[in-house]
Amino acid sequence: MANCSAARVASYAAPYDAPERCPRVPIPTVRSGSVRPRLTFDHLGPRTVQVPYEAQGPADAPATVVLGGISAGRHLAPTTSDPSKGWWPGVVGEGDALDPARHLLIGIDFLGGRTENGLLRPVTTHDQARAVAAALDELGVTAASFVGSSYGGMVALAFAELFPERTARLVILCASHRTHPMATGIRSVQRAAASLGADTGQPARGLALARALAMTTYRSPEEFEERFSARPLHPGQPGRTPARFPVEEYLDARGADFAHRFDTERFLALSESIDLHGTSPESLPPETLLVSFDTDALVPPWLVDELATRSGRCPRHVTVTSLFGHDAFLKEVGQVTSLLNASLPRTPEVVR
Amino acid sequence: MANCSAARVASYAAPYDAPERCPRVPIPTVRSGSVRPRLTFDHLGPRTVQVPYEAQGPADAPATVVLGGISAGRHLAPTTSDPSKGWWPGVVGEGDALDPARHLLIGIDFLGGRTENGLLRPVTTHDQARAVAAALDELGVTAASFVGSSYGGMVALAFAELFPERTARLVILCASHRTHPMATGIRSVQRAAASLGADTGQPARGLALARALAMTTYRSPEEFEERFSARPLHPGQPGRTPARFPVEEYLDARGADFAHRFDTERFLALSESIDLHGTSPESLPPETLLVSFDTDALVPPWLVDELATRSGRCPRHVTVTSLFGHDAFLKEVGQVTSLLNASLPRTPEVVR
């Protein structure tokens, strides 16, 4: 087996100069809508589903599918019709590494959960890949590069396995060909918490609890140690209120926010989909960049090394030093920008 | 500040020859019962409480208080009146490092939760130390050594702070002078899960969920990777059953077992007590051995180094290599035996 050692990049000290932003004319073309393909699901058989998508950029620019975590979606960056920020600010947007002036950027909403035709679960990363293919068909895109992070990285790997001829370059961050049992165990507890809430008429409370737990796996102990005091806010009042801790306030707030945006069935379907994920390492395309972060406990560097080694193709694997654990793909904008700039095709910079 | 570097001990390859056991006569003296002291609690003021204790060994042997995790109790090893095994088999028992023929071994049940006089919460590690002192008074023991693991290590540190004149040697495993915020965050989620269950009429389900999550912090990802397949047992049936994974079966079983042995109020009180724990590093007695395990994410070696350094006393700190995370104090019987044998006073071996 090939021995592929990962490059290590220290990011703490890496200076990042945000590029200067110039107001742009013209606004890149935006196409959005829903495609309604009939897909053959791995465990559900044939089903007609709705796949909302959004595409930004010139039709003749290199097509790049951008897929994120389970709470990410089709909206990648502000547009004239939807000025809200996308899920990956600093990385996708005007003047950024994934610039709608220089890429045809394509996002979709993942399948999973309640639909007009009943419950969509279990859903696999290969099912999501089929949905991406349907969106590409609709857009007239025959082949695309992929930038997939976390769950979206798993979907990109599944796409490359199912549709090698439609896959140009892959950049995979915080994802690998399989999960590891500790991560699966912690997610199974999250699903049990969401289910307990739903079963007892407290779905928001269960979902918030699941997300609070997930947050502890998205960040690193080192970051929390820097950020939160270990001292209680108060020790509680006998028989009235429990003790409260700074980190608990943070986790509760993140959980409550998620419970407003998500529903139980969708969370269960997507969380389970992560644990059902599996691709053959040998299906990895030659033009792949794998990015891991040293503090990522969910997708640790050793698991990405396993993919690189078993692929037999010695893809480039960069392990970046970060304080931010699994969320480093969202937080290490400078490092991610450098890696994407060096890896993806794009149209030359437009002079304005 | 003193620079106290930890000794590192590799345990994977360390051979451990269990000592030969010989049937013994006489049976060590056993004294058990409950003491009912009136204690002044940190947050509850004066309260009369019941402190069950059990002592085994000759009255003139060195007194050694043995304190374990939140689910450990007073029963340290089989006796004629209670032949059930203790919570630390292989370490406490005839011929073991903590041998009732050579130590006066003393255990107590921790305070916390529902009592005949109402709810005992919040309860601190210093409150537990006061309960230990009351048991020592009852036994006529003026000073004792302590072997404290996990929560019991915190209680031992609190005892040494409150009663330095009654503290001989300390051996502290998997505990330190404070917690760290990630560990507190994960425990706060456990408490929220137990509370959700209790509030919705499903206390056993909530408690099992809390314990399943706790198990993921007691063991290491490396152990789970060796032990469990990442592949699902089955992918679930649409609308009927969710996917199931090997690690999930294990966590569920451990959770259900705990829910049979524990109740919500006691779990909440003891879990919270861990997060309320704090001792002054300067209160550490000179005769202290600190033991940490390299894969322990709850009480990582760096946190124990912090105690050692801030104590200003350069206590011995040994970090043992183990696959078993926080539970290594229970699993690494050979290493723990060697460390205890080298650290604790005892009466000479009895020749039979």
Side-chain angles (χ1 to χ4, degrees):
Chain A
M1 219 175 267
N3 182 6
C4 315
S5 58
R8 296 217 162 242
V9 179
S11 76
Y12 287 129
Y16 172 59
D17 298 319
E20 283 183 26
R21 310 297 166 93
C22 312
R24 293 190 172 203
V25 185
I27 299 289
T29 307
V30 178
R31 289 182 62 186
S32 65
S34 270
V35 57
R36 287 182 59 85
R38 188 161 179 84
L39 305 177
T40 302
F41 284 74
D42 281 334
H43 302 295
L44 301 171
R47 293 251 192 141
T48 299
V49 290
Q50 186 156 311
V51 183
Y53 65 89
E54 194 172 293
Q56 305 187 41
D60 59 350
T64 307
V65 178
V66 183
L67 303 169
I70 62 167
S71 56
R74 68 186 184 281
H75 185 58
L76 300 174
T79 63
T80 43
S81 54
D82 182 355
S84 67
K85 71 176 182 179
W87 60 263
W88 211 357
V91 173
V92 185
E94 290 185 35
D96 293 333
L98 298 172
D99 185 339
R102 302 173 72 187
H103 300 264
L104 173 60
L105 298 171
I106 301 160
I108 69 157
D109 288 352
F110 293 124
L111 303 170
R114 294 259 163 239
T115 73
E116 57 193 5
N117 300 319
L119 187 63
L120 205 61
R121 177 181 175 201
V123 61
T124 68
T125 50
H126 291 83
D127 296 333
Q128 307 286 7
R130 294 179 184 104
V132 171
L136 295 184
D137 290 344
E138 173 81 1
L139 290 162
V141 172
T142 51
S145 292
F146 283 74
V147 180
S149 300
S150 191
Y151 183 64
M154 299 179 190
V155 173
L157 290 169
F159 187 96
E161 183 166 74
L162 287 179
F163 308 103
E165 74 289 354
R166 304 188 72 171
T167 308
R169 286 164 194 257
L170 285 189
V171 180
I172 306 293
L173 303 99
C174 302
S176 196
H177 59 303
R178 67 172 178 100
T179 60
H180 69 93
M182 180 62 86
T184 296
I186 297 173
R187 276 187 297 265
S188 77
V189 173
Q190 292 169 36
R191 293 193 289 276
S195 298
L196 173 57
D199 292 351
T200 57
Q202 303 262 7
R205 199 169 156 192
L207 210 47
L209 191 48
R211 183 64 167 194
L213 174 53
M215 286 306 302
T216 68
T217 67
Y218 295 158
R219 298 304 177 91
S220 75
E222 293 80 2
E223 188 213 352
F224 276 21
E225 170 71 12
E226 281 194 8
R227 191 167 164 188
F228 302 109
S229 166
R231 305 300 308 157
L233 297 168
H234 62 75
Q237 285 189 296
R240 300 168 68 95
T241 54
R244 286 288 283 180
F245 300 88
V247 64
E248 190 176 11
E249 303 264 291
Y250 166 76
L251 295 175
D252 282 359
R254 300 272 49 79
D257 178 70
F258 184 77
H260 273 106
R261 298 186 282 126
F262 243 73
D263 68 76
T264 305
E265 290 300 351
R266 184 163 174 79
F267 171 74
L268 291 176
L270 289 174
S271 170
E272 184 180 85
S273 184
I274 296 171
D275 289 314
L276 292 172
H277 170 70
T279 55
S280 162
E282 297 80 17
S283 68
L284 200 71
E287 295 289 332
T288 298
L289 169 65
L290 303 171
V291 181
S292 61
F293 295 90
D294 64 343
T295 51
D296 184 351
L298 285 184
V299 185
W302 64 260
L303 193 60
V304 180
D305 268 336
E306 185 181 288
L307 167 59
T309 303
R310 294 196 181 166
S311 73
R313 293 166 181 256
C314 272
R316 193 168 165 227
H317 173 201
V318 176
T319 298
V320 179
T321 302
S322 173
L323 193 58
F324 294 104
H326 189 69
D327 266 359
F329 76 92
L330 295 167
K331 303 282 284 182
E332 299 292 354
V333 167
Q335 292 287 341
V336 170
T337 296
S338 303
L339 290 164
L340 291 176
N341 282 342
S343 304
L344 288 176
R346 78 201 67 196
T347 54
E349 185 139 25
V350 183
V351 179
R352 277 164 290 257
Chain B
M1 219 175 266
N3 181 7
C4 316
S5 57
R8 295 214 166 246
V9 178
S11 76
Y12 287 128
Y16 172 61
D17 298 318
E20 284 183 25
R21 310 296 166 93
C22 312
R24 293 190 172 206
V25 185
I27 298 289
T29 307
V30 178
R31 289 182 62 186
S32 65
S34 271
V35 57
R36 287 182 58 84
R38 187 160 180 84
L39 305 177
T40 302
F41 284 74
D42 281 334
H43 303 294
L44 301 171
R47 293 250 194 142
T48 300
V49 290
Q50 186 156 311
V51 182
Y53 66 89
E54 193 172 294
Q56 306 186 40
D60 59 349
T64 307
V65 178
V66 183
L67 303 168
I70 61 167
S71 55
R74 69 186 184 280
H75 185 57
L76 300 175
T79 64
T80 42
S81 54
D82 180 356
S84 67
K85 71 176 182 178
W87 60 263
W88 211 358
V91 173
V92 185
E94 288 185 36
D96 293 333
L98 297 172
D99 185 339
R102 302 172 72 187
H103 299 263
L104 173 60
L105 298 171
I106 301 160
I108 69 157
D109 288 352
F110 293 125
L111 303 171
R114 293 259 163 238
T115 72
E116 57 192 4
N117 300 319
L119 186 63
L120 205 60
R121 178 181 176 202
V123 61
T124 68
T125 49
H126 291 83
D127 296 332
Q128 307 285 8
R130 293 179 185 105
V132 171
L136 295 183
D137 290 344
E138 173 81 1
L139 291 162
V141 172
T142 51
S145 292
F146 283 73
V147 180
S149 301
S150 190
Y151 183 65
M154 300 178 190
V155 173
L157 290 169
F159 187 95
E161 183 167 74
L162 286 179
F163 308 104
E165 74 289 354
R166 304 188 72 172
T167 308
R169 286 163 194 257
L170 285 190
V171 180
I172 306 293
L173 303 99
C174 302
S176 197
H177 59 304
R178 68 173 177 100
T179 59
H180 69 93
M182 180 62 87
T184 296
I186 297 173
R187 277 188 296 264
S188 77
V189 174
Q190 292 169 36
R191 293 193 289 275
S195 298
L196 173 57
D199 292 351
T200 57
Q202 303 261 7
R205 199 169 156 193
L207 210 47
L209 191 48
R211 183 63 168 196
L213 174 54
M215 286 307 302
T216 68
T217 67
Y218 295 159
R219 298 302 177 92
S220 75
E222 293 81 2
E223 188 213 351
F224 276 22
E225 171 71 13
E226 281 194 9
R227 191 167 165 187
F228 301 109
S229 167
R231 306 299 310 156
L233 297 167
H234 61 75
Q237 286 189 296
R240 299 167 69 94
T241 54
R244 286 289 282 180
F245 300 88
V247 64
E248 190 176 12
E249 303 264 292
Y250 166 75
L251 294 175
D252 282 0
R254 299 272 49 78
D257 178 69
F258 185 76
H260 273 106
R261 297 186 284 126
F262 242 71
D263 68 77
T264 304
E265 289 301 349
R266 184 164 174 78
F267 170 73
L268 291 176
L270 289 173
S271 170
E272 183 180 85
S273 185
I274 296 171
D275 289 314
L276 291 172
H277 171 70
T279 56
S280 163
E282 297 79 17
S283 68
L284 200 71
E287 295 289 331
T288 298
L289 169 65
L290 303 171
V291 181
S292 61
F293 295 90
D294 64 344
T295 51
D296 184 352
L298 286 183
V299 185
W302 64 259
L303 193 61
V304 180
D305 268 336
E306 184 180 289
L307 167 59
T309 303
R310 294 197 181 165
S311 74
R313 294 168 179 254
C314 273
R316 192 168 168 227
H317 172 201
V318 176
T319 298
V320 178
T321 302
S322 173
L323 192 59
F324 294 104
H326 189 70
D327 266 359
F329 76 92
L330 294 168
K331 304 282 283 183
E332 299 292 355
V333 167
Q335 291 287 342
V336 170
T337 297
S338 302
L339 290 165
L340 291 176
N341 282 342
S343 304
L344 286 176
R346 78 201 67 194
T347 55
E349 185 139 27
V350 184
V351 180
R352 276 165 291 256

